[in-house]
Amino acid sequence: VQLQASGGGMVEAGDSLTLSCTASGSTDEIYAMGWFRQAPGKEREFVGVIRWSDESTYYADPVKGRFTISGDSAKSTVYLRMNNLKAEDTAVYYCAVPDRSSVYVPPLRYEYVYWGQGTLVTVSS
């Protein structure tokens, strides 16, 4: 599975931005697609994930109520709509796919086996 993320850019605090990520290759292995982010000097952290079977979503606490994940399983594409962006949202955002045998809901970080190249989001205050 290959993942291609896009949509990053530089915005001001309070603005909105939508990221997208499209998978290619063995897309029949994909049952969920997630987003992570990594700020400068910090570890990569979970943002959210969507499960294709029922389109259920899970979010990290810092983004709940501001970020929304949606997607089109037929197109193997996931979106991350980010509203009311804050300076602390500045990071490289990665899309990722968990192994189809993952057992946790939502999947734990180590269960993600495919990663995109990342797209940079910079929020100025």
Side-chain angles (χ1 to χ4, degrees):
V1 175
Q2 295 79 46
L3 300 171
Q4 182 69 44
S6 62
M10 182 177 293
V11 298
E12 296 184 350
D15 285 350
S16 298
L17 197 64
T18 298
L19 308 181
S20 63
C21 176
T22 298
S24 60
S26 301
T27 56
D28 57 331
E29 299 182 14
I30 301 174
Y31 81 96
M33 294 184 73
W35 289 96
F36 286 74
R37 67 184 182 183
Q38 187 166 17
K42 295 188 177 180
E43 293 188 356
R44 192 170 300 187
E45 65 177 3
F46 172 75
V47 173
V49 62
I50 184 169
R51 184 171 61 190
W52 290 137
S53 61
D54 57 2
E55 296 190 353
S56 58
T57 54
Y58 303 88
Y59 299 95
D61 287 344
V63 307
K64 282 182 180 177
R66 299 188 299 122
F67 290 12
T68 302
I69 293 177
S70 62
D72 185 338
S73 59
K75 296 181 179 180
S76 298
T77 298
V78 63
Y79 305 97
L80 180 65
R81 174 66 175 180
M82 305 181 290
N83 294 328
N84 190 23
L85 282 161
K86 305 176 181 180
E88 51 264 43
D89 295 318
T90 295
V92 176
Y93 284 73
Y94 299 89
C95 57
V97 168
D99 188 273
R100 64 189 305 174
S101 64
S102 60
V103 298
Y104 292 95
V105 179
L108 299 181
R109 180 181 168 183
Y110 77 88
E111 296 182 301
Y112 287 83
V113 293
Y114 301 109
W115 294 85
Q117 84 288 0
T119 184
L120 176 63
V121 174
T122 303
V123 184
S124 60
S125 59

